[in-house]
Amino acid sequence: MVLDAFAKASNIVFEDKRYGFVAETTVKGRKVILLKPTTFMNLSGNAVRYWLNSEKIDESRLLVISDDVALPLGAFRLKGSGSNGGHNGLGHIQQLIGQDYARLRMGIGNDYPKGGQVDWVLGKYSEEDMRTLQPSIDMAVDIIKSFVLSGVNITMNQYNKLGKK
């Protein structure tokens, strides 16, 4: 949802390419490539590694956006590196390229019945939940722009205090 919002705000569209849907734009003259992997989530490192190598992008310029059931709906955290936090997609990326890349974790909450995590993560949000989530999605678009222009440290200092719920 974050990348779709960024693409819409940038007036660009995704194309079906190798390992994912890809869109390209610039932010104040800096090239930005958006990737929505079409691999299984726990194999998303294949898509990330392919596009990093194909576009000759250093891991320090990578920002991965993921859901996080450990964060309340609408909360977010930006980190410059670190563990995968139990997220299988981040774990696979880490396995293939290491853990020195930035990640923006978007809180989706954990208000699902026992055994219902897959349906919760892949399901649709209610209108009420979207009212909670939409401001964070809009903020994430700004975070991407800041990351591109200012890097992870300045962006963390500017936005992480706003993402606590």
Side-chain angles (χ1 to χ4, degrees), residues 13-26:
V13 294
F14 284 91
E15 296 178 40
D16 191 358
K17 294 194 174 184
R18 186 163 184 192
Y19 289 122
F21 293 101
V22 179
E24 190 175 310
T25 189
T26 59

Side-chain angles (χ1 to χ4, degrees), residues 7 28 44 49 61 97-98 107 115 130 145 147-148:
K28 293 191 178 180
S44 54
R49 180 175 61 182
R61 301 301 304 153
I97 70 166
M130 282 308 299
K145 291 175 187 175
F147 176 82
V148 169

Side-chain angles (χ1 to χ4, degrees), residues 111-148:
D111 191 20
Y112 52 86
K114 185 174 180 160
Q117 183 173 352
V118 171
D119 292 334
W120 177 256
V121 170
L122 298 178
K124 297 280 186 204
Y125 291 101
S126 69
E127 285 183 37
E128 181 182 337
D129 285 345
M130 282 308 299
R131 282 192 292 276
T132 301
L133 198 53
Q134 193 60 54
S136 296
I137 292 171
D138 296 340
M139 184 81 63
V141 170
D142 292 338
I143 289 170
I144 295 169
K145 291 175 187 175
S146 177
F147 176 82
V148 169

Side-chain angles (χ1 to χ4, degrees), residues 72 74-77 159-165:
F76 58 83
R77 298 288 179 281
Y159 288 95
N160 273 347
K161 62 183 173 274
L162 303 174
K164 297 183 192 286
K165 295 247 177 202

Side-chain angles (χ1 to χ4, degrees), residues 52-144:
L52 286 177
N53 290 337
S54 176
E55 296 293 325
K56 297 174 180 58
I57 300 168
D58 186 81
E59 287 89 357
S60 67
R61 301 301 304 153
L62 172 65
L63 174 62
V64 174
I65 302 167
S66 68
D67 57 13
D68 192 331
V69 297
L71 291 176
L73 184 69
F76 58 83
R77 298 288 179 281
L78 178 64
K79 291 179 63 178
S81 64
S83 75
N84 61 38
H87 191 286
N88 292 332
L90 295 178
H92 192 250
I93 293 168
Q94 214 167 290
Q95 191 179 348
L96 296 182
I97 70 166
Q99 61 185 33
D100 292 331
Y101 64 90
R103 70 271 338 247
L104 176 59
R105 295 177 179 228
M106 301 295 295
I108 62 170
N110 57 8
D111 191 20
Y112 52 86
K114 185 174 180 160
Q117 183 173 352
V118 171
D119 292 334
W120 177 256
V121 170
L122 298 178
K124 297 280 186 204
Y125 291 101
S126 69
E127 285 183 37
E128 181 182 337
D129 285 345
M130 282 308 299
R131 282 192 292 276
T132 301
L133 198 53
Q134 193 60 54
S136 296
I137 292 171
D138 296 340
M139 184 81 63
V141 170
D142 292 338
I143 289 170
I144 295 169

